[in-house]
Amino acid sequence: MLVAAFIYFSVKSMKSKRNPLLPTEWALVGMLPGIAASLRRHVAAAGKKNCMNFFVTCDPVNIRHMYTSNFANYPKGEAFAEIFDTLEGSLLTTDGENWCWQRAMARQDLARPELLTYLSRRWCDKVEEDLLPLLSRAAVTGTTINMEDLLGRLVFDLSTTLVFGVDPGSLSVDMPPVPASPAFDAIMEVAFFRHIMPASMWKAMRWLNVGQERKLAEAQKLIHGFVLDMINKNRSQERGTAAPVDLLSFFMTNYPDDLSMDQTGEPNKLLHATLISFMIAGRDTVGTTLPWLFYNLAKNPHVVSAIRDELAPIAAASHKQEDGETLMVFEAEETKPLVYLQAVMFESMRLYPPILYERKSVQDEDVLPSGHQVRAGDVIFISLYAMRRVDSVWGDGYREYRPERWLSRDGSSLLYVPSHKFLAFNSGPRMCLGKEMAIAQIKTIVATVVWNYDIELVQGHAVKPKLSCCMQMKNGLMEGSKPTKSGNQGGFSFGRSGIAARLCSHDAAAGNNWYEFLTSTLLASGHTHKIRGPLASSMNFFLTCDPMNIRHIYTSNFANYPKDEGFAEILDIVEGTLVTTDGENWRWQRAMARQALARPELLAYLSRRCRDKVVEGLLPFLSHAAVTGTKINMEGLLGRLVFDLSTTLVFGVDPGSLSVDMPPMPASPAFDTIMDVAFFRQAMPTSIWKAMRWLNVGHERKLAEAQRLIHGFVLDMIKKNRDRERGTAAPVDMLSFFTANYPDDLSVDQTGEPNKLLHAMLIFYMMAGRDTVGTALSWLFYNLAKNPHVVSAVRDELAPIAAASRKQEENETLKVFEAQETKPLVYLQAVIFESMRLYPPILYERKSVLAEDVLPSGHQVRAGDVIMISLYAMGRVDSVWGKDYSEYRPQRWLSRDGSSLLYVPSHKFLAFNSGPRLCLGKEMAIAQIKTIVATVVWNCDIALVEGHAVDPKLSSSMQMKNGLMATVKRREGM
């Protein structure tokens, strides 16, 4: 209903105006569309039916008027304080006497020499002890990293140290989750939405505790808990002879009557808001500036060279290099006089200001220098983002990143740019008191990183701003690392080998930081990483990709490592099936599955159906795309193909999702949801997701809807299975086999409802076939599109079969390969296995510990512990796959002469599981994939759409986040 109301009132508003894009108060989104259309004119005016007006400006003379000349007439206003109610009463939201008092207090505090000395030392220590080791590890392992996350953690720790005198350690080797950090982001994101929608609406949402307001309430709770925790740590830490210099200690010592805490450690309301405001001020300004600065440097390598030229004399004169240290860490005093480095920073802040807009209210009637008349109660928004595009200030080249615009002709000094033209640090009486501190901090960090490392962006990774009050990145800043050549930088000779690391990635798909981070953690930890359970419980979590551990768990001591009850709860839709059970029930079901899947008539039936489906469903779509030049989503097509084949296997019914009209098939994405939500259930405490399930909110609401759709799909397929015409041959599908051979255990009642176990088993077999084959195919075509030499080699192996085929003599235009023809092809199978090594269909396995044991890695495990096996990381263990593990190279699976497949034990390649749980459908899946790939590769050329980002989704299976967009051409000569 909200969407319908939005469309109705928005269209009505457009029709009522001569120019529908002039700013107005639209339903739900307020005046945002009009603002976006009008900013080029430097001032946009918008009004409601009442007498209040909204103005949006980026005119420097207006800004000088409001911020300096007539400052008292343009306060923050009560509405601004309501929007930022988390900071209510603090320096950022107040006016008048209260603001004057707090500003004087802050000036006194931030100007203390002992504070500046302390912080300068902490910046250097934090960079040297935490940031550089992580970058160095990325350089050695070639890991893709999210620089925005690293820098955000660094600045979060530094801001917390400034405010509380405590380092929370969010930037450390194990990269612990820090819920308070994204909670601070949520404050700015929700403030953005509060700005653009009517106050009555967001207040109603707050009262109902829904949407963004629910998110804000949770964020405020997390931040409140964080503040209390830091206060307790501040109080309990050992005190030396020197007085503490952090802000909390300063406030408590110098303003005990105004800023106090009770005996329980609870700060009063003003102190609480003040501490949070200083956290936000430090964290959001510096933490937002740094990622965009490195983004600009990565896009402008000539600027990096100029920075190094400026740093070279300092590095050459440093005694640190004489001590044989390999990494140069710059001090704040060393970087303070560097003008080019400061110009680099200011130019980045001009293009990407940390805070996107300022808001002012009007106290008394006035006329702005632009000629606009404002009245009491009007609201003015100042767009810092638009200010960067004022060509009268920055020239015609305002879009370019050019630090030289800030420098004198000879480059020896910074040009003066008044703050009303460059508002990154505010202007007038509200000029940022921490400006010099922020500049020093940024210069220290940038100088050290730039001197020691080369920066490159991940190819294809989209860097975009998020909808927020501050310029956060929507997708992070993805980068990776590898060592560079030794040599000189900026004229200075390094002691060892140049120490620079180029941050890049091996392919676009490496851009998902979760899987890459998990892998780098495991590789850096010796392939096994231990995590203590929550709330100091006796349970431990182990992450491993160690083949010896896997052999031990899956084979040598199989009985001690069952699936646990927690796993069965996480995948509750298939509870009681092969994938979630152990013991006698598992053995009985496995024997039944072996009997069902080994039937020759089933294999022959599926082979025929796979061939027919490719001919009648897939190839016509590819041919049409080739003729029309249409871009297609290969992941979507292949998913529909495999969905139909899996349904045919399980129910003996083709649902026809891959047909000319491409019908909606809600059950198919519902199966994806099962795997998506399973991932989130694994990643959060059980009590949280169970509470969400009880409340029917978030991912659990999405899961409930998916389960309803899948249940309906199963019932529909059972009905079609019963209603279809029966020939003389007995049906071979799994449903018919189960109900015929195990009627006492697996039955369907007269209404068509299967019993609970049969229902779960049917869903399990659908998921097993669909997720393995469907996911493997998408990533395989991705790898083939990126490696045309592999495609040529596959065609060379297929050529003798095609030449011998009688169908070619009959002048058929498309060659379709049979399963029996592709079965002996070893290179094609190596192509499949190599793709599944890099992109395993199932990303991790989970095991519980039954009795105390010692893993081959030396880790002691106890009853109740949980072990997570990362298949993604297993494909990147260099002791198994070699130093070139990141490359797609099918030859690694072949004998020297290429005539046979090398044996790789399943505990090193876990795509089809291992030990007693080895996948019974392995050969069936390989046959399907080979038939499909051979036919498509022989007849078509597949190319990726340029610029399309191919990333894995956060899920239990290796689904693609954005699909696989491709173009198709008929192969020449075919």
Side-chain angles (χ1 to χ4, degrees):
M1 288 183 68
L2 286 175
V3 175
F6 164 70
I7 294 171
Y8 172 75
F9 286 114
S10 297
V11 171
K12 185 177 179 181
S13 174
M14 290 174 68
K15 287 181 177 179
S16 68
K17 284 184 165 282
R18 294 179 181 177
N19 183 353
L21 286 180
L22 283 177
T24 188
E25 188 75 0
W26 285 29
L28 299 189
V29 295
M31 58 185 178
L32 186 62
I35 290 171
S38 307
L39 273 176
R40 287 189 179 181
R41 297 190 298 271
H42 296 181
V43 180
K48 297 175 71 174
K49 288 186 179 179
N50 62 23
C51 44
M52 182 177 70
N53 293 311
F54 294 92
F55 293 84
V56 184
T57 187
C58 62
D59 189 332
V61 293
N62 283 349
I63 293 164
R64 181 173 57 186
H65 179 80
M66 290 183 288
Y67 280 72
T68 307
S69 308
N70 200 7
F71 170 75
N73 195 50
Y74 297 93
K76 292 283 187 178
E78 292 180 6
F80 182 84
E82 281 189 317
I83 285 171
F84 282 99
D85 51 7
T86 309
L87 312 176
E88 190 175 359
S90 70
L91 188 62
L92 297 180
T93 60
T94 56
D95 299 288
E97 289 301 318
N98 188 20
W99 170 77
C100 291
W101 170 73
Q102 288 197 49
R103 186 167 173 87
M105 177 178 65
R107 181 184 290 109
Q108 179 189 1
D109 186 9
L110 296 174
R112 291 175 293 147
E114 62 272 22
L115 175 65
L116 301 177
T117 302
Y118 168 70
L119 288 177
S120 176
R121 187 170 65 251
R122 288 302 301 138
W123 299 337
C124 291
D125 291 347
K126 195 71 185 173
V127 169
E128 185 172 12
E129 296 167 8
D130 293 318
L131 181 62
L132 292 185
L134 288 169
L135 295 179
S136 296
R137 185 176 71 180
V140 171
T141 61
T143 310
T144 299
I145 56 176
N146 183 349
M147 279 292 283
E148 188 196 31
D149 180 48
L150 282 186
L151 295 167
R153 286 171 175 267
L154 170 65
V155 176
F156 182 80
D157 287 352
L158 293 174
S159 299
T160 309
T161 302
L162 163 67
V163 177
F164 299 98
V166 177
D167 183 350
S170 71
L171 185 67
S172 55
V173 67
D174 55 345
M175 300 285 274
V178 185
S181 186
F184 281 104
D185 292 337
I187 299 292
M188 305 305 282
E189 291 170 31
V190 178
F192 176 88
F193 286 99
R194 282 183 170 186
H195 273 300
I196 64 174
M197 65 171 59
S200 57
M201 182 161 289
W202 68 254
K203 286 181 179 181
M205 292 173 69
R206 181 175 63 183
W207 183 74
L208 292 168
N209 194 30
V210 296
Q212 294 285 333
E213 293 299 319
R214 185 187 188 110
K215 180 179 178 180
L216 178 61
E218 179 61 25
Q220 289 171 331
K221 179 182 173 185
L222 287 169
I223 291 171
H224 180 71
F226 171 77
V227 169
L228 293 184
D229 183 42
M230 291 300 104
I231 288 173
N232 288 333
K233 288 181 177 177
N234 175 287
R235 286 177 142 187
S236 61
Q237 63 187 353
E238 292 184 8
R239 305 288 183 178
T241 54
V245 296
D246 57 271
L247 302 190
L248 172 60
S249 299
F250 176 84
F251 293 148
M252 296 298 298
T253 303
N254 293 276
Y255 299 91
D257 296 332
D258 301 290
L259 304 169
S260 61
M261 289 184 293
D262 61 25
Q263 292 179 342
T264 67
E266 283 273 358
N268 68 15
K269 187 175 180 182
L270 178 56
L271 177 59
H272 187 273
T274 299
L275 295 173
I276 295 172
S277 69
F278 276 99
M279 277 293 298
I280 288 177
R283 176 184 174 275
D284 287 346
T285 303
V286 178
T288 307
T289 296
L290 280 168
W292 288 108
L293 203 159
F294 280 108
Y295 168 75
N296 283 311
L297 292 179
K299 293 183 68 180
N300 296 275
H302 65 284
V303 176
V304 174
S305 298
I307 293 173
R308 288 175 178 160
D309 289 343
E310 191 176 39
L311 291 170
I314 302 171
S318 173
H319 293 294
K320 294 179 184 178
Q321 295 294 320
E322 295 171 7
D323 294 336
E325 293 189 10
T326 56
L327 293 174
M328 174 68 193
V329 180
F330 291 88
E331 309 280 346
E333 285 303 307
E334 292 174 321
T335 60
K336 187 175 182 179
L338 302 183
V339 294
Y340 186 78
L341 180 57
Q342 191 154 330
V344 164
M345 182 182 69
F346 282 180
E347 179 68 349
S348 185
M349 295 178 86
R350 177 184 73 83
L351 288 171
Y352 302 102
I355 303 300
L356 282 164
Y357 58 84
E358 289 269 346
R359 172 175 172 149
K360 295 283 190 181
S361 65
V362 180
Q363 189 161 297
D364 296 314
E365 187 174 327
D366 193 16
V367 177
L368 297 175
S370 61
H372 291 79
Q373 186 174 11
V374 295
R375 293 170 296 187
D378 288 350
V379 173
I380 302 175
F381 286 92
I382 299 94
S383 171
L384 279 70
Y385 190 80
M387 286 179 69
R388 73 178 191 161
R389 288 165 169 77
V390 179
D391 52 10
S392 60
V393 176
W394 306 111
D396 292 336
Y398 61 81
R399 290 185 180 88
E400 300 171 13
Y401 179 74
R402 194 165 59 82
E404 291 76 11
R405 76 175 77 245
W406 294 86
L407 299 173
S408 59
R409 285 195 176 184
D410 62 0
S412 63
S413 60
L414 283 169
L415 294 176
Y416 170 69
V417 177
S419 57
H420 64 269
K421 295 182 178 180
F422 176 59
L423 204 57
F425 295 98
N426 219 303
S427 182
R430 282 192 178 264
M431 178 72 79
C432 175
L433 293 170
K435 175 182 177 181
E436 297 306 321
M437 186 186 296
I439 291 171
Q441 197 173 358
I442 294 169
K443 287 170 92 170
T444 301
I445 296 166
V446 173
T448 300
V449 174
V450 165
W451 182 260
N452 294 294
Y453 300 94
D454 289 320
I455 306 294
E456 283 185 7
L457 299 175
V458 167
Q459 187 177 0
H461 177 69
V463 179
K464 299 176 182 177
K466 200 195 297 189
L467 284 179
S468 176
C469 290
C470 58
M471 182 66 81
Q472 300 164 10
M473 288 179 172
K474 186 177 181 181
N475 305 313
L477 183 60
M478 298 309 301
E479 299 167 347
S481 59
K482 63 182 180 183
T484 61
K485 297 178 181 178
S486 59
N488 298 334
Q489 289 186 3
F492 178 75
S493 178
F494 284 84
R496 289 204 308 181
S497 59
I499 36 179
R502 174 159 287 115
L503 298 176
C504 59
S505 73
H506 298 291
D507 54 57
N512 192 291
N513 65 326
W514 169 257
Y515 306 118
E516 290 299 319
F517 169 68
L518 182 63
T519 299
S520 66
T521 299
L522 282 169
L523 297 183
S525 305
H527 302 155
T528 302
H529 187 70
K530 178 180 176 182
I531 303 171
R532 188 66 183 271
L535 304 177
S537 71
S538 57
M539 183 177 69
N540 296 311
F541 294 88
F542 292 85
L543 303 175
T544 189
C545 62
D546 187 332
M548 296 303 99
N549 284 350
I550 291 160
R551 181 172 61 182
H552 180 81
I553 294 166
Y554 281 73
T555 307
S556 309
N557 201 7
F558 171 74
N560 194 50
Y561 296 93
K563 300 282 186 179
D564 63 319
E565 292 181 4
F567 182 77
E569 285 186 318
I570 285 168
L571 277 176
D572 50 7
I573 195 170
V574 288
E575 189 175 358
T577 66
L578 261 178
V579 74
T580 60
T581 57
D582 297 286
E584 289 302 318
N585 186 22
W586 171 76
R587 279 186 281 275
W588 170 70
Q589 285 197 49
R590 188 165 173 87
M592 178 172 56
R594 183 183 287 108
Q595 181 187 2
L597 294 172
R599 292 172 293 150
E601 62 271 24
L602 175 66
L603 301 177
Y605 171 68
L606 283 179
S607 176
R608 186 170 64 252
R609 287 303 301 139
C610 182
R611 180 198 179 282
D612 292 346
K613 197 71 188 175
V614 170
V615 173
E616 299 164 7
L618 183 61
L619 289 182
F621 274 104
L622 297 179
S623 297
H624 177 74
V627 171
T628 60
T630 310
K631 295 174 185 176
I632 58 173
N633 181 358
M634 280 294 288
E635 188 196 32
L637 281 183
L638 295 167
R640 285 175 175 266
L641 169 65
V642 176
F643 181 79
D644 287 352
L645 292 174
S646 298
T647 309
T648 302
L649 164 67
V650 176
F651 299 97
V653 177
D654 183 351
S657 71
L658 185 65
S659 56
V660 67
D661 54 347
M662 297 288 273
M665 196 64 58
S668 186
F671 280 103
D672 291 337
T673 299
I674 300 296
M675 303 306 284
D676 295 349
V677 178
F679 176 89
F680 286 100
R681 282 183 169 184
Q682 293 272 17
M684 66 173 62
T686 305
S687 57
I688 298 293
W689 70 255
K690 284 186 175 179
M692 293 174 68
R693 182 176 64 184
W694 182 73
L695 293 167
N696 194 29
V697 296
H699 282 93
E700 293 299 318
R701 182 179 190 137
K702 186 178 177 183
L703 177 63
E705 176 62 19
Q707 290 174 332
R708 185 184 68 78
L709 289 169
I710 291 171
H711 180 69
F713 172 77
V714 168
L715 294 183
D716 184 45
M717 290 300 105
I718 289 174
K719 184 176 185 303
K720 289 181 177 178
N721 175 287
R722 288 178 145 191
D723 293 347
R724 67 186 174 181
E725 292 183 6
R726 306 286 181 173
T728 55
V732 295
D733 57 88
M734 303 291 282
L735 171 60
S736 298
F737 176 82
F738 291 146
T739 52
N741 292 276
Y742 299 90
D744 296 333
D745 302 291
L746 305 170
S747 60
V748 178
D749 65 23
Q750 293 180 343
T751 66
E753 281 274 359
N755 67 19
K756 186 177 179 182
L757 179 57
L758 177 59
H759 186 275
M761 286 176 61
L762 296 172
I763 295 171
F764 160 66
Y765 282 103
M766 277 293 299
M767 290 171 63
R770 177 184 173 277
D771 287 342
T772 302
V773 177
T775 307
L777 277 169
S778 298
W779 288 105
L780 204 159
F781 279 106
Y782 167 77
N783 282 311
L784 290 177
K786 293 187 66 187
N787 295 275
H789 65 285
V790 175
V791 174
S792 298
V794 171
R795 287 171 176 166
D796 290 343
E797 191 177 39
L798 291 169
I801 302 172
S805 174
R806 293 179 183 176
K807 292 172 184 176
Q808 294 296 318
E809 297 171 7
E810 297 167 2
N811 295 320
E812 290 196 8
T813 57
L814 293 173
K815 164 63 184 169
V816 181
F817 291 88
E818 309 283 349
Q820 285 304 113
E821 292 176 318
T822 60
K823 186 175 181 178
L825 301 184
V826 293
Y827 185 78
L828 180 56
Q829 190 153 330
V831 164
I832 295 168
F833 283 1
E834 178 69 348
S835 185
M836 295 178 85
R837 173 184 73 84
L838 286 171
Y839 304 104
I842 302 300
L843 281 161
Y844 56 83
E845 288 271 342
R846 172 174 169 148
K847 295 283 189 177
S848 65
V849 180
L850 200 59
E852 187 173 328
D853 193 15
V854 179
L855 298 176
S857 61
H859 292 80
Q860 186 173 11
V861 295
R862 295 170 297 186
D865 288 349
V866 172
I867 301 175
M868 304 290 292
I869 298 97
S870 170
L871 279 70
Y872 188 85
M874 285 181 67
R876 288 150 176 83
V877 176
D878 57 7
S879 60
V880 176
W881 306 109
K883 298 294 184 184
D884 62 346
Y885 62 79
S886 61
E887 297 176 16
Y888 179 73
R889 195 168 63 80
Q891 289 80 1
R892 74 176 79 244
W893 294 86
L894 300 173
S895 60
R896 285 194 176 184
D897 63 359
S899 62
S900 61
L901 282 169
L902 294 176
Y903 169 68
V904 178
S906 57
H907 64 269
K908 295 182 179 180
F909 176 58
L910 204 59
F912 295 99
N913 219 301
S914 181
R917 282 188 178 269
L918 190 64
C919 176
L920 294 170
K922 176 181 176 181
E923 297 307 320
M924 184 187 297
I926 291 172
Q928 274 190 47
I929 295 171
K930 285 173 115 176
T931 301
I932 296 165
V933 173
T935 301
V936 174
V937 165
W938 182 259
N939 294 290
C940 304
D941 288 319
I942 307 291
L944 300 178
V945 170
E946 188 175 355
H948 175 68
V950 180
D951 295 314
K953 191 175 21 169
L954 283 179
S955 179
S956 298
S957 61
M958 182 64 83
Q959 301 164 21
M960 288 177 170
K961 186 177 181 182
N962 306 311
L964 184 64
M965 298 307 298
T967 56
V968 184
K969 291 182 180 178
R970 281 294 303 275
R971 185 183 162 204
E972 290 185 11
M974 288 293 107

